[in-house]
Amino acid sequence: DLMFILRRKNMSNICLCNKVTKETIVLAVKNGAKTYEEVKEATGAGAGCCRGARCKGNIEKLIDENK
């Protein structure tokens, strides 16, 4: 089912350490988070054991795409 696949893609974890989803990050951006640090503070994404080494680039891309 295409809708399931699309929903699943939007719910995929961007921050693997803290299990923060793409949807959560996009929501934070739409609610005013404009920088990686603001998204990190709002969602916990990038604050896990790797300190953003795996997800920072993806978070910054989502910020740019959803300004």
Side-chain angles (χ1 to χ4, degrees):
D1 173 56
L2 180 59
M3 289 307 294
F4 173 77
I5 293 168
L6 291 173
R7 265 186 261 119
R8 180 80 177 151
K9 185 175 181 179
N10 286 334
M11 291 300 292
S12 62
N13 287 333
I14 298 298
C15 175
L16 301 176
C17 298
N18 288 340
K19 297 179 178 62
V20 181
T21 65
K22 176 181 178 180
E23 182 179 70
T24 300
I25 293 168
V26 169
L27 184 61
V29 172
K30 293 195 181 289
N31 284 322
K34 294 177 178 68
T35 66
Y36 168 76
E37 290 299 325
E38 289 175 352
V39 169
K40 181 175 160 181
E41 185 177 321
T43 67
C49 58
C50 83
R51 298 289 182 237
R54 294 187 285 190
C55 63
K56 185 176 182 179
N58 288 329
I59 292 169
E60 290 172 336
K61 182 178 175 188
L62 287 172
I63 293 167
D64 287 340
E65 291 174 351
N66 293 283
K67 290 180 182 176

Short mmCIF file of all heavy atoms in Angstrom, two decimals:
data_model
loop_
_atom_site.label_atom_id
_atom_site.label_comp_id
_atom_site.label_asym_id
_atom_site.label_seq_id
_atom_site.Cartn_x
_atom_site.Cartn_y
_atom_site.Cartn_z
N ASP A 1 0.84 -1.18 0.00
CA ASP A 1 0.00 0.00 0.00
C ASP A 1 0.89 1.25 0.00
O ASP A 1 1.74 1.42 0.86
CB ASP A 1 -0.92 -0.06 1.23
CG ASP A 1 -1.73 1.18 1.44
OD1 ASP A 1 -2.44 1.59 0.53
OD2 ASP A 1 -1.63 1.72 2.56
N LEU A 2 0.68 2.12 -0.98
CA LEU A 2 1.51 3.31 -1.15
C LEU A 2 1.42 4.25 0.05
O LEU A 2 2.43 4.79 0.50
CB LEU A 2 1.12 4.04 -2.43
CG LEU A 2 1.90 5.31 -2.74
CD1 LEU A 2 3.39 5.00 -2.87
CD2 LEU A 2 1.40 5.96 -4.00
N MET A 3 0.23 4.46 0.59
CA MET A 3 0.09 5.36 1.74
C MET A 3 0.87 4.84 2.95
O MET A 3 1.48 5.61 3.68
CB MET A 3 -1.39 5.56 2.10
CG MET A 3 -2.14 6.41 1.09
SD MET A 3 -1.35 8.01 0.73
CE MET A 3 -1.52 8.82 2.29
N PHE A 4 0.88 3.54 3.16
CA PHE A 4 1.64 2.97 4.26
C PHE A 4 3.13 3.25 4.08
O PHE A 4 3.81 3.64 5.01
CB PHE A 4 1.41 1.45 4.36
CG PHE A 4 2.30 0.79 5.38
CD1 PHE A 4 2.01 0.90 6.72
CD2 PHE A 4 3.43 0.10 4.98
CE1 PHE A 4 2.83 0.32 7.67
CE2 PHE A 4 4.26 -0.49 5.91
CZ PHE A 4 3.95 -0.39 7.26
N ILE A 5 3.61 3.08 2.85
CA ILE A 5 5.02 3.33 2.57
C ILE A 5 5.36 4.79 2.80
O ILE A 5 6.38 5.11 3.42
CB ILE A 5 5.37 2.90 1.13
CG1 ILE A 5 5.24 1.38 1.01
CG2 ILE A 5 6.76 3.37 0.73
CD1 ILE A 5 5.28 0.86 -0.41
N LEU A 6 4.51 5.70 2.34
CA LEU A 6 4.76 7.12 2.54
C LEU A 6 4.73 7.49 4.01
O LEU A 6 5.57 8.25 4.49
CB LEU A 6 3.75 7.96 1.75
CG LEU A 6 3.89 7.90 0.24
CD1 LEU A 6 2.73 8.65 -0.42
CD2 LEU A 6 5.21 8.46 -0.22
N ARG A 7 3.76 6.96 4.75
CA ARG A 7 3.69 7.22 6.19
C ARG A 7 4.92 6.67 6.88
O ARG A 7 5.49 7.30 7.76
CB ARG A 7 2.43 6.61 6.80
CG ARG A 7 1.30 7.59 6.88
CD ARG A 7 0.11 7.00 7.63
NE ARG A 7 -0.83 6.55 6.61
CZ ARG A 7 -1.25 5.31 6.45
NH1 ARG A 7 -0.88 4.35 7.24
NH2 ARG A 7 -2.08 5.01 5.48
N ARG A 8 5.33 5.48 6.50
CA ARG A 8 6.50 4.83 7.10
C ARG A 8 7.75 5.66 6.86
O ARG A 8 8.58 5.83 7.74
CB ARG A 8 6.65 3.43 6.52
CG ARG A 8 7.79 2.67 7.05
CD ARG A 8 7.44 2.08 8.39
NE ARG A 8 8.58 1.29 8.80
CZ ARG A 8 8.90 1.07 10.03
NH1 ARG A 8 8.16 1.54 11.00
NH2 ARG A 8 9.94 0.37 10.35
N LYS A 9 7.88 6.22 5.65
CA LYS A 9 9.03 7.05 5.32
C LYS A 9 9.07 8.29 6.22
O LYS A 9 10.12 8.68 6.70
CB LYS A 9 9.00 7.44 3.85
CG LYS A 9 10.22 8.21 3.41
CD LYS A 9 10.20 8.47 1.92
CE LYS A 9 11.46 9.23 1.54
NZ LYS A 9 11.54 9.50 0.14
N ASN A 10 7.92 8.91 6.45
CA ASN A 10 7.85 10.10 7.29
C ASN A 10 8.07 9.78 8.76
O ASN A 10 8.41 10.65 9.54
CB ASN A 10 6.52 10.82 7.11
CG ASN A 10 6.46 11.55 5.79
OD1 ASN A 10 7.48 11.93 5.24
ND2 ASN A 10 5.28 11.75 5.27
N MET A 11 7.85 8.53 9.14
CA MET A 11 8.02 8.15 10.54
C MET A 11 9.39 7.53 10.80
O MET A 11 9.67 7.09 11.89
CB MET A 11 6.92 7.15 10.94
CG MET A 11 5.54 7.77 11.00
SD MET A 11 5.39 9.11 12.18
CE MET A 11 5.59 8.21 13.71
N SER A 12 10.24 7.46 9.80
CA SER A 12 11.54 6.83 9.99
C SER A 12 12.40 7.63 10.97
O SER A 12 12.32 8.85 11.05
CB SER A 12 12.26 6.68 8.65
OG SER A 12 12.50 7.94 8.07
N ASN A 13 13.19 6.91 11.74
CA ASN A 13 14.06 7.56 12.71
C ASN A 13 15.20 8.26 12.00
O ASN A 13 15.92 7.66 11.20
CB ASN A 13 14.61 6.54 13.70
CG ASN A 13 13.58 6.06 14.68
OD1 ASN A 13 12.62 6.76 14.97
ND2 ASN A 13 13.76 4.87 15.19
N ILE A 14 15.38 9.53 12.31
CA ILE A 14 16.51 10.30 11.81
C ILE A 14 17.63 10.21 12.83
O ILE A 14 18.77 9.92 12.49
CB ILE A 14 16.11 11.77 11.56
CG1 ILE A 14 15.02 11.87 10.50
CG2 ILE A 14 17.34 12.61 11.19
CD1 ILE A 14 15.40 11.37 9.13
N CYS A 15 17.30 10.42 14.08
CA CYS A 15 18.27 10.25 15.17
C CYS A 15 18.09 8.84 15.72
O CYS A 15 17.09 8.54 16.37
CB CYS A 15 18.02 11.28 16.27
SG CYS A 15 19.06 11.06 17.73
N LEU A 16 19.06 7.99 15.42
CA LEU A 16 18.96 6.59 15.83
C LEU A 16 19.16 6.43 17.33
O LEU A 16 18.53 5.59 17.96
CB LEU A 16 19.97 5.75 15.06
CG LEU A 16 19.82 5.78 13.54
CD1 LEU A 16 20.93 4.98 12.88
CD2 LEU A 16 18.46 5.27 13.12
N CYS A 17 20.04 7.24 17.93
CA CYS A 17 20.33 7.11 19.36
C CYS A 17 19.09 7.39 20.22
O CYS A 17 18.79 6.65 21.15
CB CYS A 17 21.45 8.06 19.77
SG CYS A 17 23.02 7.77 18.96
N ASN A 18 18.37 8.47 19.89
CA ASN A 18 17.21 8.86 20.68
C ASN A 18 15.89 8.54 20.01
O ASN A 18 14.83 8.94 20.49
CB ASN A 18 17.27 10.36 21.00
CG ASN A 18 18.34 10.66 22.02
OD1 ASN A 18 18.78 9.79 22.75
ND2 ASN A 18 18.79 11.90 22.06
N LYS A 19 15.95 7.85 18.87
CA LYS A 19 14.75 7.43 18.15
C LYS A 19 13.80 8.59 17.84
O LYS A 19 12.60 8.52 18.06
CB LYS A 19 14.02 6.32 18.91
CG LYS A 19 14.86 5.07 19.06
CD LYS A 19 14.13 4.01 19.85
CE LYS A 19 14.93 2.74 19.96
NZ LYS A 19 16.20 2.84 20.63
N VAL A 20 14.37 9.67 17.31
CA VAL A 20 13.58 10.85 16.92
C VAL A 20 13.25 10.72 15.44
O VAL A 20 14.14 10.53 14.61
CB VAL A 20 14.34 12.16 17.20
CG1 VAL A 20 13.49 13.36 16.82
CG2 VAL A 20 14.74 12.24 18.67
N THR A 21 11.97 10.83 15.12
CA THR A 21 11.51 10.62 13.75
C THR A 21 11.63 11.88 12.89
O THR A 21 11.71 13.00 13.40
CB THR A 21 10.04 10.16 13.72
OG1 THR A 21 9.22 11.23 14.22
CG2 THR A 21 9.82 8.89 14.50
N LYS A 22 11.59 11.64 11.59
CA LYS A 22 11.56 12.73 10.62
C LYS A 22 10.37 13.64 10.90
O LYS A 22 10.50 14.87 10.89
CB LYS A 22 11.47 12.15 9.21
CG LYS A 22 11.35 13.18 8.12
CD LYS A 22 11.24 12.52 6.76
CE LYS A 22 11.06 13.54 5.66
NZ LYS A 22 10.96 12.91 4.33
N GLU A 23 9.21 13.05 11.16
CA GLU A 23 8.00 13.83 11.43
C GLU A 23 8.20 14.75 12.63
O GLU A 23 7.77 15.91 12.61
CB GLU A 23 6.83 12.88 11.68
CG GLU A 23 5.53 13.58 11.93
CD GLU A 23 4.40 12.59 12.15
OE1 GLU A 23 4.40 11.91 13.20
OE2 GLU A 23 3.54 12.50 11.28
N THR A 24 8.83 14.29 13.68
CA THR A 24 9.06 15.10 14.88
C THR A 24 9.98 16.27 14.57
O THR A 24 9.73 17.40 15.02
CB THR A 24 9.68 14.22 15.99
OG1 THR A 24 8.76 13.16 16.29
CG2 THR A 24 9.95 15.03 17.25
N ILE A 25 11.01 16.03 13.78
CA ILE A 25 11.95 17.10 13.43
C ILE A 25 11.26 18.14 12.54
O ILE A 25 11.39 19.35 12.77
CB ILE A 25 13.20 16.51 12.76
CG1 ILE A 25 13.98 15.68 13.78
CG2 ILE A 25 14.08 17.62 12.16
CD1 ILE A 25 15.06 14.82 13.19
N VAL A 26 10.51 17.69 11.56
CA VAL A 26 9.79 18.61 10.67
C VAL A 26 8.81 19.45 11.49
O VAL A 26 8.69 20.66 11.29
CB VAL A 26 9.08 17.85 9.53
CG1 VAL A 26 8.12 18.75 8.77
CG2 VAL A 26 10.11 17.25 8.58
N LEU A 27 8.11 18.85 12.43
CA LEU A 27 7.17 19.57 13.29
C LEU A 27 7.90 20.64 14.10
O LEU A 27 7.41 21.77 14.24
CB LEU A 27 6.43 18.60 14.20
CG LEU A 27 5.35 19.19 15.08
CD1 LEU A 27 4.25 19.84 14.23
CD2 LEU A 27 4.75 18.11 15.96
N ALA A 28 9.07 20.31 14.64
CA ALA A 28 9.85 21.29 15.40
C ALA A 28 10.24 22.47 14.52
O ALA A 28 10.17 23.63 14.95
CB ALA A 28 11.10 20.63 15.98
N VAL A 29 10.64 22.20 13.28
CA VAL A 29 11.02 23.27 12.35
C VAL A 29 9.80 24.14 12.04
O VAL A 29 9.87 25.37 12.06
CB VAL A 29 11.64 22.69 11.06
CG1 VAL A 29 11.84 23.77 10.01
CG2 VAL A 29 12.95 21.98 11.37
N LYS A 30 8.68 23.51 11.79
CA LYS A 30 7.46 24.27 11.49
C LYS A 30 6.98 25.07 12.70
O LYS A 30 6.28 26.07 12.55
CB LYS A 30 6.37 23.34 10.98
CG LYS A 30 6.75 22.75 9.61
CD LYS A 30 5.60 22.13 8.90
CE LYS A 30 6.00 21.53 7.59
NZ LYS A 30 6.33 22.48 6.56
N ASN A 31 7.39 24.66 13.90
CA ASN A 31 7.04 25.38 15.12
C ASN A 31 8.11 26.38 15.55
O ASN A 31 8.09 26.88 16.66
CB ASN A 31 6.74 24.41 16.26
CG ASN A 31 5.38 23.77 16.10
OD1 ASN A 31 4.42 24.41 15.69
ND2 ASN A 31 5.29 22.49 16.41
N GLY A 32 9.08 26.65 14.65
CA GLY A 32 10.02 27.73 14.91
C GLY A 32 11.48 27.37 15.09
O GLY A 32 12.31 28.27 15.18
N ALA A 33 11.84 26.10 15.18
CA ALA A 33 13.25 25.74 15.31
C ALA A 33 13.94 26.03 13.97
O ALA A 33 13.54 25.51 12.94
CB ALA A 33 13.39 24.27 15.68
N LYS A 34 14.97 26.88 14.01
CA LYS A 34 15.61 27.32 12.77
C LYS A 34 17.02 26.80 12.60
O LYS A 34 17.60 26.92 11.53
CB LYS A 34 15.64 28.85 12.74
CG LYS A 34 14.27 29.49 12.65
CD LYS A 34 14.39 31.01 12.71
CE LYS A 34 13.08 31.70 12.58
NZ LYS A 34 12.18 31.50 13.70
N THR A 35 17.60 26.24 13.64
CA THR A 35 18.97 25.75 13.59
C THR A 35 19.04 24.32 14.13
O THR A 35 18.12 23.85 14.80
CB THR A 35 19.90 26.63 14.44
OG1 THR A 35 19.52 26.49 15.82
CG2 THR A 35 19.85 28.10 14.02
N TYR A 36 20.16 23.68 13.86
CA TYR A 36 20.40 22.34 14.40
C TYR A 36 20.28 22.35 15.92
O TYR A 36 19.63 21.48 16.51
CB TYR A 36 21.79 21.86 13.96
CG TYR A 36 22.26 20.63 14.68
CD1 TYR A 36 21.75 19.38 14.37
CD2 TYR A 36 23.22 20.73 15.69
CE1 TYR A 36 22.18 18.25 15.05
CE2 TYR A 36 23.65 19.61 16.36
CZ TYR A 36 23.13 18.37 16.04
OH TYR A 36 23.56 17.26 16.72
N GLU A 37 20.88 23.34 16.56
CA GLU A 37 20.83 23.43 18.03
C GLU A 37 19.40 23.58 18.55
O GLU A 37 19.04 22.99 19.57
CB GLU A 37 21.71 24.58 18.53
CG GLU A 37 23.19 24.33 18.37
CD GLU A 37 23.70 23.12 19.16
OE1 GLU A 37 23.20 22.84 20.25
OE2 GLU A 37 24.61 22.44 18.64
N GLU A 38 18.58 24.38 17.85
CA GLU A 38 17.18 24.55 18.28
C GLU A 38 16.38 23.26 18.10
O GLU A 38 15.55 22.93 18.95
CB GLU A 38 16.54 25.71 17.51
CG GLU A 38 17.09 27.07 17.94
CD GLU A 38 16.56 28.21 17.11
OE1 GLU A 38 15.87 27.98 16.08
OE2 GLU A 38 16.83 29.37 17.47
N VAL A 39 16.63 22.54 17.01
CA VAL A 39 15.97 21.25 16.81
C VAL A 39 16.42 20.26 17.88
O VAL A 39 15.60 19.53 18.45
CB VAL A 39 16.24 20.69 15.39
CG1 VAL A 39 15.78 19.25 15.27
CG2 VAL A 39 15.56 21.55 14.34
N LYS A 40 17.68 20.27 18.17
CA LYS A 40 18.24 19.39 19.20
C LYS A 40 17.59 19.66 20.55
O LYS A 40 17.18 18.74 21.26
CB LYS A 40 19.75 19.60 19.28
CG LYS A 40 20.48 18.76 20.27
CD LYS A 40 21.98 19.03 20.10
CE LYS A 40 22.78 18.66 21.30
NZ LYS A 40 24.22 18.94 21.09
N GLU A 41 17.45 20.93 20.90
CA GLU A 41 16.83 21.31 22.17
C GLU A 41 15.35 20.93 22.20
O GLU A 41 14.84 20.44 23.22
CB GLU A 41 16.98 22.82 22.39
CG GLU A 41 16.46 23.29 23.73
CD GLU A 41 16.70 24.78 23.94
OE1 GLU A 41 17.77 25.27 23.55
OE2 GLU A 41 15.79 25.43 24.49
N ALA A 42 14.65 21.11 21.08
CA ALA A 42 13.21 20.85 21.03
C ALA A 42 12.87 19.37 20.99
O ALA A 42 11.83 18.96 21.49
CB ALA A 42 12.60 21.55 19.81
N THR A 43 13.75 18.56 20.37
CA THR A 43 13.39 17.16 20.12
C THR A 43 14.31 16.13 20.76
O THR A 43 13.93 14.97 20.88
CB THR A 43 13.40 16.87 18.60
OG1 THR A 43 14.74 16.97 18.11
CG2 THR A 43 12.49 17.82 17.85
N GLY A 44 15.51 16.51 21.10
CA GLY A 44 16.50 15.56 21.59
C GLY A 44 17.30 14.92 20.47
O GLY A 44 18.24 14.17 20.72
N ALA A 45 16.95 15.21 19.23
CA ALA A 45 17.70 14.68 18.09
C ALA A 45 19.11 15.27 18.10
O ALA A 45 19.28 16.47 18.23
CB ALA A 45 17.00 15.02 16.78
N GLY A 46 20.10 14.42 17.98
CA GLY A 46 21.48 14.88 17.99
C GLY A 46 22.09 14.96 19.38
O GLY A 46 23.25 15.31 19.52
N ALA A 47 21.32 14.60 20.38
CA ALA A 47 21.81 14.67 21.76
C ALA A 47 22.11 13.29 22.34
O ALA A 47 22.32 13.16 23.53
CB ALA A 47 20.78 15.39 22.64
N GLY A 48 22.14 12.29 21.48
CA GLY A 48 22.39 10.92 21.94
C GLY A 48 23.86 10.62 22.09
O GLY A 48 24.71 11.52 22.09
N CYS A 49 24.17 9.36 22.19
CA CYS A 49 25.54 8.93 22.47
C CYS A 49 26.53 9.31 21.36
O CYS A 49 27.70 9.51 21.63
CB CYS A 49 25.60 7.44 22.76
SG CYS A 49 24.97 6.40 21.45
N CYS A 50 26.07 9.47 20.12
CA CYS A 50 27.01 9.84 19.03
C CYS A 50 27.13 11.35 18.89
O CYS A 50 27.92 11.83 18.08
CB CYS A 50 26.58 9.20 17.71
SG CYS A 50 25.30 10.08 16.80
N ARG A 51 26.33 12.11 19.64
CA ARG A 51 26.36 13.58 19.61
C ARG A 51 26.16 14.16 18.22
O ARG A 51 26.78 15.13 17.83
CB ARG A 51 27.65 14.12 20.22
CG ARG A 51 27.85 13.77 21.67
CD ARG A 51 26.86 14.56 22.52
NE ARG A 51 27.05 14.27 23.93
CZ ARG A 51 26.07 13.80 24.70
NH1 ARG A 51 24.89 13.55 24.19
NH2 ARG A 51 26.28 13.59 25.97
N GLY A 52 25.28 13.50 17.44
CA GLY A 52 24.93 14.02 16.13
C GLY A 52 25.82 13.57 14.99
O GLY A 52 25.62 13.97 13.85
N ALA A 53 26.80 12.71 15.27
CA ALA A 53 27.71 12.27 14.22
C ALA A 53 26.98 11.56 13.08
O ALA A 53 27.36 11.68 11.93
CB ALA A 53 28.78 11.34 14.79
N ARG A 54 25.90 10.85 13.40
CA ARG A 54 25.16 10.12 12.37
C ARG A 54 24.00 10.91 11.80
O ARG A 54 23.57 10.65 10.68
CB ARG A 54 24.63 8.80 12.94
CG ARG A 54 25.73 7.84 13.29
CD ARG A 54 25.18 6.51 13.68
NE ARG A 54 24.61 6.56 15.03
CZ ARG A 54 24.23 5.50 15.71
NH1 ARG A 54 24.31 4.30 15.18
NH2 ARG A 54 23.74 5.62 16.92
N CYS A 55 23.46 11.87 12.54
CA CYS A 55 22.20 12.50 12.09
C CYS A 55 22.28 13.99 11.80
O CYS A 55 21.36 14.54 11.21
CB CYS A 55 21.11 12.25 13.13
SG CYS A 55 21.43 13.00 14.74
N LYS A 56 23.33 14.65 12.20
CA LYS A 56 23.37 16.11 12.05
C LYS A 56 23.13 16.56 10.61
O LYS A 56 22.34 17.48 10.37
CB LYS A 56 24.70 16.67 12.55
CG LYS A 56 24.75 18.18 12.53
CD LYS A 56 26.03 18.72 13.12
CE LYS A 56 26.00 20.24 13.11
NZ LYS A 56 27.22 20.81 13.70
N GLY A 57 23.76 15.91 9.65
CA GLY A 57 23.57 16.28 8.24
C GLY A 57 22.13 16.13 7.79
O GLY A 57 21.59 16.99 7.10
N ASN A 58 21.48 15.05 8.21
CA ASN A 58 20.07 14.83 7.85
C ASN A 58 19.16 15.84 8.53
O ASN A 58 18.18 16.30 7.94
CB ASN A 58 19.65 13.41 8.20
CG ASN A 58 20.27 12.39 7.28
OD1 ASN A 58 20.52 12.67 6.11
ND2 ASN A 58 20.52 11.20 7.80
N ILE A 59 19.48 16.20 9.76
CA ILE A 59 18.68 17.21 10.47
C ILE A 59 18.81 18.55 9.76
O ILE A 59 17.80 19.24 9.53
CB ILE A 59 19.10 17.31 11.95
CG1 ILE A 59 18.74 16.02 12.69
CG2 ILE A 59 18.45 18.53 12.61
CD1 ILE A 59 19.35 15.90 14.07
N GLU A 60 20.02 18.92 9.41
CA GLU A 60 20.23 20.20 8.71
C GLU A 60 19.51 20.21 7.37
O GLU A 60 18.95 21.23 6.97
CB GLU A 60 21.72 20.47 8.56
CG GLU A 60 22.37 20.80 9.89
CD GLU A 60 23.87 20.89 9.84
OE1 GLU A 60 24.50 20.29 8.93
OE2 GLU A 60 24.43 21.56 10.72
N LYS A 61 19.50 19.08 6.68
CA LYS A 61 18.78 18.98 5.40
C LYS A 61 17.28 19.17 5.63
O LYS A 61 16.61 19.89 4.86
CB LYS A 61 19.06 17.62 4.76
CG LYS A 61 18.40 17.43 3.42
CD LYS A 61 18.77 16.08 2.84
CE LYS A 61 18.01 15.86 1.55
NZ LYS A 61 18.17 14.50 1.04
N LEU A 62 16.73 18.56 6.67
CA LEU A 62 15.30 18.71 6.96
C LEU A 62 14.96 20.17 7.32
O LEU A 62 13.90 20.67 6.96
CB LEU A 62 14.87 17.77 8.09
CG LEU A 62 14.79 16.31 7.70
CD1 LEU A 62 14.56 15.45 8.95
CD2 LEU A 62 13.68 16.08 6.68
N ILE A 63 15.86 20.83 8.02
CA ILE A 63 15.65 22.24 8.36
C ILE A 63 15.56 23.05 7.06
O ILE A 63 14.63 23.84 6.88
CB ILE A 63 16.76 22.77 9.27
CG1 ILE A 63 16.69 22.10 10.65
CG2 ILE A 63 16.67 24.31 9.41
CD1 ILE A 63 17.91 22.32 11.51
N ASP A 64 16.51 22.84 6.17
CA ASP A 64 16.52 23.57 4.89
C ASP A 64 15.28 23.30 4.07
O ASP A 64 14.72 24.21 3.46
CB ASP A 64 17.76 23.22 4.07
CG ASP A 64 19.03 23.83 4.63
OD1 ASP A 64 18.94 24.81 5.39
OD2 ASP A 64 20.12 23.32 4.28
N GLU A 65 14.83 22.07 4.04
CA GLU A 65 13.67 21.68 3.23
C GLU A 65 12.34 22.15 3.80
O GLU A 65 11.36 22.24 3.07
CB GLU A 65 13.61 20.15 3.09
CG GLU A 65 14.71 19.56 2.25
CD GLU A 65 14.71 18.04 2.27
OE1 GLU A 65 13.97 17.43 3.07
OE2 GLU A 65 15.47 17.45 1.49
N ASN A 66 12.30 22.48 5.09
CA ASN A 66 11.02 22.78 5.74
C ASN A 66 10.95 24.15 6.37
O ASN A 66 10.10 24.41 7.22
CB ASN A 66 10.72 21.69 6.79
CG ASN A 66 10.46 20.36 6.15
OD1 ASN A 66 9.39 20.13 5.63
ND2 ASN A 66 11.47 19.51 6.13
N LYS A 67 11.82 25.04 5.96
CA LYS A 67 11.81 26.42 6.49
C LYS A 67 10.49 27.09 6.23
O LYS A 67 9.86 26.91 5.23
CB LYS A 67 12.92 27.25 5.86
CG LYS A 67 14.29 26.84 6.30
CD LYS A 67 15.30 27.73 5.61
CE LYS A 67 16.70 27.31 5.99
NZ LYS A 67 17.70 28.06 5.30
#
